C-alpha cells in the first residue's frame, strides 16, 4: 500500500467512527420522556391518549415536575394531592392537621420527616 492510500484509509476510518458516535448520541437524545408538556400547557403521561400524538413538547421525568413547571393535567386526570404541606410560615401539615385544608400556599412533601428536615416545624398541639 502506498502512503497516500494509507492516509485515505485512516481518514475514512476516523470519519466513519465519528459518524457512528454522533448517531449513537442522537438515539440517546431521542429517548421518549415519561411526561410531555404540550405547547398548550397540558401534561401528558403514557396513560394519556394524546401522549403519542404530542410532537411539540417539553419533556419531564415525572407528572409532578411538569405540573410544578406550570403545566396542568389532562382533563379528568387530577393531580395527586400532596401528602404533607409546608405553609409559607414553615409549618408542616399532614392530613391529620386541623389546618391542612386551609393551607393554600405551600410546598409539598411526601412525608412529615422530609418537611421537617427541610426546615419546617410541626404544628403546636
Amino acid at each position: 500500500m502506498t502512503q497516500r492510500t494509507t492516509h485515505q484509509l485512516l481518514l475514512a476510518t476516523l470519519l466513519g467512527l465519528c459518524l457512528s458516535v454522533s448517531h449513537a448520541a442522537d438515539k440517546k437524545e431521542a429517548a421518549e420522556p415519561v411526561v410531555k408538556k404540550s405547547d398548550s400547557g397540558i401534561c401528558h403521561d403514557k396513560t394519556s391518549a394524546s401522549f403519542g400524538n404530542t410532537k411539540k413538547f417539553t419533556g419531564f421525568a415525572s407528572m409532578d415536575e411538569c405540573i410544578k413547571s406550570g403545566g396542568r393535567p389532562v382533563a379528568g386526570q387530577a393531580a395527586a394531592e400532596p401528602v404533607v404541606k409546608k405553609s409559607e410560615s414553615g409549618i408542616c401539615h399532614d392530613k391529620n392537621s386541623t389546618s391542612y385544608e386551609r393551607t393554600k400556599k405551600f410546598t409539598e412533601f411526601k412525608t412529615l420527616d422530609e418537611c421537617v428536615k427541610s426546615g419546617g416545624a410541626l404544628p403546636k398541639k
Side-chain angles (χ1 to χ4, degrees):
M1 243 198 265
T2 67
Q3 188 176 9
R4 183 175 182 179
T5 307
T6 305
H7 286 287
Q8 288 174 341
L9 182 62
L10 183 59
L11 187 59
T13 303
L14 287 173
L15 181 62
L17 182 62
C18 289
L19 289 174
S20 295
V21 170
S22 72
H23 183 67
D26 288 344
K27 284 185 179 178
K28 288 179 186 173
E29 290 172 11
E32 210 163 45
V34 175
V35 178
K36 297 177 179 179
K37 181 169 81 172
S38 65
D39 286 348
S40 59
I42 300 172
C43 299
H44 299 279
D45 64 5
K46 294 188 179 196
T47 63
S48 168
S50 299
F51 182 83
N53 299 332
T54 305
K55 303 299 178 200
K56 291 184 175 183
F57 62 88
T58 304
F60 292 92
S62 69
M63 184 61 84
D64 285 342
E65 269 184 36
C66 185
I67 291 170
K68 284 180 181 177
S69 76
R72 61 187 188 282
V74 176
Q77 180 182 353
E81 187 174 333
V83 177
V84 177
K85 299 176 179 180
K86 182 168 84 172
S87 66
E88 288 184 320
S89 59
I91 308 298
C92 300
H93 300 282
D94 66 1
K95 292 185 180 190
N96 297 323
S97 169
T98 55
S99 300
Y100 183 83
E101 293 298 326
R102 290 180 290 184
T103 305
K104 302 299 179 195
K105 293 183 180 180
F106 60 88
T107 302
E108 69 179 77
F109 292 90
K110 293 184 181 181
T111 66
L112 269 174
D113 190 47
E114 284 181 17
C115 184
V116 171
K117 284 181 180 176
S118 76
L122 295 174
K124 294 178 183 173
K125 301 239 175 185

